[in-house]
């Protein structure tokens, strides 16, 4: 009798979640993207590209957003308290709305590379 081979179970690797910051950098690698709006956990991300708002298939879970905001808080040394928090991180201006009622939301905006010039010196006669 021919033997039937036993099924070999190959353990599946758990899917590794890519951190939000890496995904933000990937989205902002498209130079047309100016703003990324995360309206809350498990909601599709909105991006503003060349002045028009587009819905993406990307969404972040509540755990991902909490981990992102905690990491952002640690790196910028700005405490996470309920309310509105604005931070500049890398080349992004990130506004976080911390709320336990509606869920934490954030908006990331590309910062323009502006050079700051000293004001013109005024001379009095």
């Amino acid at each position: 009798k021919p033997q039937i081979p036993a099924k070999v179970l190959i353990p599946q690797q758990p899917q590794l979640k890519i951190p939000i910051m890496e995904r933000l950098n990937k989205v902002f690698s498209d130079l047309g993207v100016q703003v990324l709006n995360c309206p809350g956990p498990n909601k599709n991300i909105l991006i503003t590209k060349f002045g028009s708002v587009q819905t993406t298939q990307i969404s972040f879970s509540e755990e991902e957003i909490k981990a992102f905001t905690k990491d952002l808080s640690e790196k910028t040394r700005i405490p996470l308290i309920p309310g509105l928090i604005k931070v500049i991180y890398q080349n992004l201006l990130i506004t976080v709305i911390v709320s336990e009622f509606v869920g934490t939301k954030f908006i990331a905006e590309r910062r323009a590379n502006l050079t700051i010039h000293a004001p013109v010196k005024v001379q009095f006669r």
Side-chain angles (χ1 to χ4, degrees), residues 65 68-69 72 80-81 83-87 94-99 104-107:
I65 294 172
F68 169 67
T69 53
L72 196 62
L80 282 178
I81 55 173
L84 189 71
I85 300 167
K86 282 192 175 224
V87 299
I94 302 173
T95 305
V96 180
I97 301 168
V98 180
S99 170
T104 300
K105 309 171 181 190
F106 68 90
I107 298 172

Side-chain angles (χ1 to χ4, degrees), residues 103-116:
T104 300
K105 309 171 181 190
F106 68 90
I107 298 172
E109 301 173 63
R110 183 189 310 269
R111 288 182 54 215
N113 292 333
L114 300 174
T115 55
I116 299 173

Side-chain angles (χ1 to χ4, degrees), residues 24-41:
L24 290 181
N25 287 333
K26 188 173 183 180
V27 170
F28 281 107
S29 67
D30 180 345
L31 297 178
V33 175
Q34 288 303 114
V35 179
L36 180 141
N37 182 355
C38 174

Side-chain angles (χ1 to χ4, degrees), residues 2-64:
Q3 288 187 340
I4 300 173
K7 288 186 177 179
V8 178
L9 295 176
I10 301 171
Q12 297 228 349
Q13 293 280 343
Q15 286 199 353
L16 298 174
K17 287 282 188 183
I18 300 172
I20 288 181
M21 201 63 212
E22 286 183 32
R23 293 195 282 179
L24 290 181
N25 287 333
K26 188 173 183 180
V27 170
F28 281 107
S29 67
D30 180 345
L31 297 178
V33 175
Q34 288 303 114
V35 179
L36 180 141
N37 182 355
C38 174
N42 304 315
K43 294 183 180 174
N44 289 356
I45 300 299
L46 304 171
I47 60 170
T48 303
K49 185 174 181 178
F50 297 119
S52 68
V53 178
Q54 301 173 7
T55 304
T56 68
Q57 297 301 313
I58 304 169
S59 66
F60 302 130
S61 70
E62 186 176 350
E63 294 80 27
E64 288 176 303

